[in-house]
PDB file of all heavy atoms in Angstrom:
ATOM      1  N   ASN B 424     -20.815  -7.122 -19.192  1.00  0.00           N
ATOM      2  CA  ASN B 424     -21.831  -8.126 -18.712  1.00  0.00           C
ATOM      3  C   ASN B 424     -22.913  -7.531 -17.843  1.00  0.00           C
ATOM      4  O   ASN B 424     -23.712  -8.260 -17.347  1.00  0.00           O
ATOM      5  CB  ASN B 424     -21.076  -9.164 -17.900  1.00  0.00           C
ATOM      6  CG  ASN B 424     -20.026  -9.866 -18.786  1.00  0.00           C
ATOM      7  OD1 ASN B 424     -19.992  -9.688 -19.971  1.00  0.00           O
ATOM      8  ND2 ASN B 424     -19.173 -10.607 -18.135  1.00  0.00           N
ATOM      9  N   MET B 425     -22.829  -6.232 -17.679  1.00  0.00           N
ATOM     10  CA  MET B 425     -23.796  -5.530 -16.769  1.00  0.00           C
ATOM     11  C   MET B 425     -23.750  -6.275 -15.351  1.00  0.00           C
ATOM     12  O   MET B 425     -24.690  -6.300 -14.670  1.00  0.00           O
ATOM     13  CB  MET B 425     -25.215  -5.662 -17.266  1.00  0.00           C
ATOM     14  CG  MET B 425     -25.422  -4.814 -18.517  1.00  0.00           C
ATOM     15  SD  MET B 425     -24.972  -3.117 -18.290  1.00  0.00           S
ATOM     16  CE  MET B 425     -25.713  -2.352 -19.594  1.00  0.00           C
ATOM     17  N   GLY B 426     -22.603  -6.832 -15.084  1.00  0.00           N
ATOM     18  CA  GLY B 426     -22.439  -7.552 -13.874  1.00  0.00           C
ATOM     19  C   GLY B 426     -22.378  -6.664 -12.645  1.00  0.00           C
ATOM     20  O   GLY B 426     -22.283  -5.435 -12.839  1.00  0.00           O
ATOM     21  N   SER B 427     -22.435  -7.232 -11.477  1.00  0.00           N
ATOM     22  CA  SER B 427     -22.428  -6.425 -10.277  1.00  0.00           C
ATOM     23  C   SER B 427     -21.019  -5.969  -9.922  1.00  0.00           C
ATOM     24  O   SER B 427     -20.793  -5.061  -9.097  1.00  0.00           O
ATOM     25  CB  SER B 427     -23.001  -7.236  -9.123  1.00  0.00           C
ATOM     26  OG  SER B 427     -22.228  -8.474  -9.029  1.00  0.00           O
ATOM     27  N   GLY B 428     -20.011  -6.526 -10.672  1.00  0.00           N
ATOM     28  CA  GLY B 428     -18.660  -6.039 -10.343  1.00  0.00           C
ATOM     29  C   GLY B 428     -18.194  -6.591  -8.981  1.00  0.00           C
ATOM     30  O   GLY B 428     -17.784  -5.790  -8.157  1.00  0.00           O
ATOM     31  N   ASN B 429     -18.292  -7.831  -8.813  1.00  0.00           N
ATOM     32  CA  ASN B 429     -17.911  -8.407  -7.560  1.00  0.00           C
ATOM     33  C   ASN B 429     -16.437  -8.237  -7.317  1.00  0.00           C
ATOM     34  O   ASN B 429     -15.681  -8.065  -8.252  1.00  0.00           O
ATOM     35  CB  ASN B 429     -18.233  -9.908  -7.457  1.00  0.00           C
ATOM     36  CG  ASN B 429     -19.690 -10.150  -7.205  1.00  0.00           C
ATOM     37  OD1 ASN B 429     -20.343  -9.292  -6.682  1.00  0.00           O
ATOM     38  ND2 ASN B 429     -20.156 -11.288  -7.668  1.00  0.00           N
ATOM     39  N   GLU B 430     -15.986  -8.308  -6.083  1.00  0.00           N
ATOM     40  CA  GLU B 430     -14.573  -8.152  -5.765  1.00  0.00           C
ATOM     41  C   GLU B 430     -13.885  -9.357  -6.331  1.00  0.00           C
ATOM     42  O   GLU B 430     -14.288 -10.522  -6.273  1.00  0.00           O
ATOM     43  CB  GLU B 430     -14.423  -8.200  -4.227  1.00  0.00           C
ATOM     44  CG  GLU B 430     -12.954  -7.975  -3.849  1.00  0.00           C
ATOM     45  CD  GLU B 430     -12.770  -7.973  -2.404  1.00  0.00           C
ATOM     46  OE1 GLU B 430     -12.866  -9.021  -1.728  1.00  0.00           O
ATOM     47  OE2 GLU B 430     -12.544  -6.846  -1.867  1.00  0.00           O
ATOM     48  N   LYS B 431     -12.772  -8.978  -6.980  1.00  0.00           N
ATOM     49  CA  LYS B 431     -11.904 -10.154  -7.555  1.00  0.00           C
ATOM     50  C   LYS B 431     -10.503  -9.977  -6.923  1.00  0.00           C
ATOM     51  O   LYS B 431     -10.031  -8.869  -6.654  1.00  0.00           O
ATOM     52  CB  LYS B 431     -11.744  -9.923  -9.049  1.00  0.00           C
ATOM     53  CG  LYS B 431     -13.038  -9.962  -9.798  1.00  0.00           C
ATOM     54  CD  LYS B 431     -12.922 -10.894 -10.992  1.00  0.00           C
ATOM     55  CE  LYS B 431     -14.292 -11.234 -11.561  1.00  0.00           C
ATOM     56  NZ  LYS B 431     -14.545 -10.594 -12.813  1.00  0.00           N
ATOM     57  N   ILE B 432      -9.940 -11.132  -6.618  1.00  0.00           N
ATOM     58  CA  ILE B 432      -8.661 -11.141  -6.018  1.00  0.00           C
ATOM     59  C   ILE B 432      -7.642 -11.748  -6.951  1.00  0.00           C
ATOM     60  O   ILE B 432      -7.901 -12.815  -7.513  1.00  0.00           O
ATOM     61  CB  ILE B 432      -8.683 -11.921  -4.624  1.00  0.00           C
ATOM     62  CG1 ILE B 432      -9.785 -11.183  -3.810  1.00  0.00           C
ATOM     63  CG2 ILE B 432      -7.314 -11.978  -4.048  1.00  0.00           C
ATOM     64  CD1 ILE B 432      -9.668 -11.393  -2.353  1.00  0.00           C
ATOM     65  N   ALA B 433      -6.502 -11.080  -7.192  1.00  0.00           N
ATOM     66  CA  ALA B 433      -5.498 -11.651  -8.052  1.00  0.00           C
ATOM     67  C   ALA B 433      -4.169 -11.719  -7.403  1.00  0.00           C
ATOM     68  O   ALA B 433      -3.773 -10.861  -6.581  1.00  0.00           O
ATOM     69  CB  ALA B 433      -5.455 -10.784  -9.296  1.00  0.00           C
ATOM     70  N   LEU B 434      -3.444 -12.769  -7.634  1.00  0.00           N
ATOM     71  CA  LEU B 434      -2.137 -12.906  -7.233  1.00  0.00           C
ATOM     72  C   LEU B 434      -1.240 -12.559  -8.477  1.00  0.00           C
ATOM     73  O   LEU B 434      -1.429 -13.114  -9.550  1.00  0.00           O
ATOM     74  CB  LEU B 434      -1.733 -14.258  -6.689  1.00  0.00           C
ATOM     75  CG  LEU B 434      -0.287 -14.386  -6.306  1.00  0.00           C
ATOM     76  CD1 LEU B 434      -0.117 -14.767  -4.848  1.00  0.00           C
ATOM     77  CD2 LEU B 434       0.508 -15.347  -7.190  1.00  0.00           C
ATOM     78  N   ILE B 435      -0.341 -11.608  -8.305  1.00  0.00           N
ATOM     79  CA  ILE B 435       0.511 -11.155  -9.424  1.00  0.00           C
ATOM     80  C   ILE B 435       1.924 -11.536  -9.176  1.00  0.00           C
ATOM     81  O   ILE B 435       2.517 -11.199  -8.112  1.00  0.00           O
ATOM     82  CB  ILE B 435       0.390  -9.608  -9.634  1.00  0.00           C
ATOM     83  CG1 ILE B 435      -1.060  -9.212  -9.967  1.00  0.00           C
ATOM     84  CG2 ILE B 435       1.318  -9.153 -10.749  1.00  0.00           C
ATOM     85  CD1 ILE B 435      -1.335  -7.776  -9.730  1.00  0.00           C
ATOM     86  N   PHE B 436       2.456 -12.294 -10.084  1.00  0.00           N
ATOM     87  CA  PHE B 436       3.830 -12.768 -10.001  1.00  0.00           C
ATOM     88  C   PHE B 436       4.585 -12.123 -11.182  1.00  0.00           C
ATOM     89  O   PHE B 436       4.271 -12.341 -12.346  1.00  0.00           O
ATOM     90  CB  PHE B 436       3.966 -14.291 -10.066  1.00  0.00           C
ATOM     91  CG  PHE B 436       5.310 -14.857  -9.977  1.00  0.00           C
ATOM     92  CD1 PHE B 436       5.946 -15.094  -8.694  1.00  0.00           C
ATOM     93  CD2 PHE B 436       6.018 -15.077 -11.122  1.00  0.00           C
ATOM     94  CE1 PHE B 436       7.185 -15.588  -8.698  1.00  0.00           C
ATOM     95  CE2 PHE B 436       7.287 -15.620 -11.082  1.00  0.00           C
ATOM     96  CZ  PHE B 436       7.885 -15.885  -9.831  1.00  0.00           C
ATOM     97  N   ASN B 437       5.589 -11.309 -10.815  1.00  0.00           N
ATOM     98  CA  ASN B 437       6.300 -10.516 -11.852  1.00  0.00           C
ATOM     99  C   ASN B 437       7.760 -10.792 -11.734  1.00  0.00           C
ATOM    100  O   ASN B 437       8.322 -10.368 -10.689  1.00  0.00           O
ATOM    101  CB  ASN B 437       5.944  -9.055 -11.724  1.00  0.00           C
ATOM    102  CG  ASN B 437       6.770  -8.133 -12.550  1.00  0.00           C
ATOM    103  OD1 ASN B 437       7.058  -8.509 -13.693  1.00  0.00           O
ATOM    104  ND2 ASN B 437       7.121  -6.967 -12.092  1.00  0.00           N
ATOM    105  N   MET B 438       8.326 -11.439 -12.661  1.00  0.00           N
ATOM    106  CA  MET B 438       9.792 -11.676 -12.521  1.00  0.00           C
ATOM    107  C   MET B 438      10.422 -11.323 -13.871  1.00  0.00           C
ATOM    108  O   MET B 438      10.161 -11.849 -14.924  1.00  0.00           O
ATOM    109  CB  MET B 438      10.003 -13.096 -12.178  1.00  0.00           C
ATOM    110  CG  MET B 438      11.515 -13.472 -11.933  1.00  0.00           C
ATOM    111  SD  MET B 438      11.589 -15.075 -11.116  1.00  0.00           S
ATOM    112  CE  MET B 438      13.333 -15.412 -11.275  1.00  0.00           C
ATOM    113  N   GLY B 439      11.305 -10.338 -13.780  1.00  0.00           N
ATOM    114  CA  GLY B 439      12.083  -9.916 -14.953  1.00  0.00           C
ATOM    115  C   GLY B 439      13.512 -10.420 -14.809  1.00  0.00           C
ATOM    116  O   GLY B 439      13.821 -11.331 -14.178  1.00  0.00           O
ATOM    117  N   ALA B 440      14.398  -9.611 -15.473  1.00  0.00           N
ATOM    118  CA  ALA B 440      15.796  -9.985 -15.468  1.00  0.00           C
ATOM    119  C   ALA B 440      16.421  -9.666 -14.147  1.00  0.00           C
ATOM    120  O   ALA B 440      17.368 -10.360 -13.704  1.00  0.00           O
ATOM    121  CB  ALA B 440      16.474  -9.236 -16.576  1.00  0.00           C
ATOM    122  N   GLY B 441      15.937  -8.671 -13.425  1.00  0.00           N
ATOM    123  CA  GLY B 441      16.664  -8.262 -12.248  1.00  0.00           C
ATOM    124  C   GLY B 441      15.947  -8.604 -10.944  1.00  0.00           C
ATOM    125  O   GLY B 441      16.621  -8.775  -9.951  1.00  0.00           O
ATOM    126  N   TYR B 442      14.616  -8.579 -10.943  1.00  0.00           N
ATOM    127  CA  TYR B 442      13.919  -8.650  -9.614  1.00  0.00           C
ATOM    128  C   TYR B 442      12.684  -9.593  -9.787  1.00  0.00           C
ATOM    129  O   TYR B 442      12.138  -9.761 -10.884  1.00  0.00           O
ATOM    130  CB  TYR B 442      13.396  -7.277  -9.248  1.00  0.00           C
ATOM    131  CG  TYR B 442      14.528  -6.318  -8.912  1.00  0.00           C
ATOM    132  CD1 TYR B 442      15.098  -5.573  -9.963  1.00  0.00           C
ATOM    133  CD2 TYR B 442      14.967  -6.142  -7.647  1.00  0.00           C
ATOM    134  CE1 TYR B 442      16.119  -4.630  -9.740  1.00  0.00           C
ATOM    135  CE2 TYR B 442      16.028  -5.254  -7.383  1.00  0.00           C
ATOM    136  CZ  TYR B 442      16.590  -4.492  -8.421  1.00  0.00           C
ATOM    137  OH  TYR B 442      17.585  -3.577  -8.123  1.00  0.00           O
ATOM    138  N   CYS B 443      12.311 -10.106  -8.662  1.00  0.00           N
ATOM    139  CA  CYS B 443      11.051 -10.852  -8.584  1.00  0.00           C
ATOM    140  C   CYS B 443      10.124 -10.198  -7.586  1.00  0.00           C
ATOM    141  O   CYS B 443      10.510  -9.881  -6.469  1.00  0.00           O
ATOM    142  CB  CYS B 443      11.379 -12.309  -8.174  1.00  0.00           C
ATOM    143  SG  CYS B 443       9.842 -13.310  -8.023  1.00  0.00           S
TER     144      CYS B 443
END
Side-chain angles (χ1 to χ4, degrees):
Chain B
N424 301 346
M425 293 304 197
S427 54
N429 282 336
E430 182 178 75
K431 301 229 167 109
I432 301 203
L434 179 121
I435 297 160
F436 179 86
N437 172 36
M438 186 165 167
Y442 296 86
C443 177

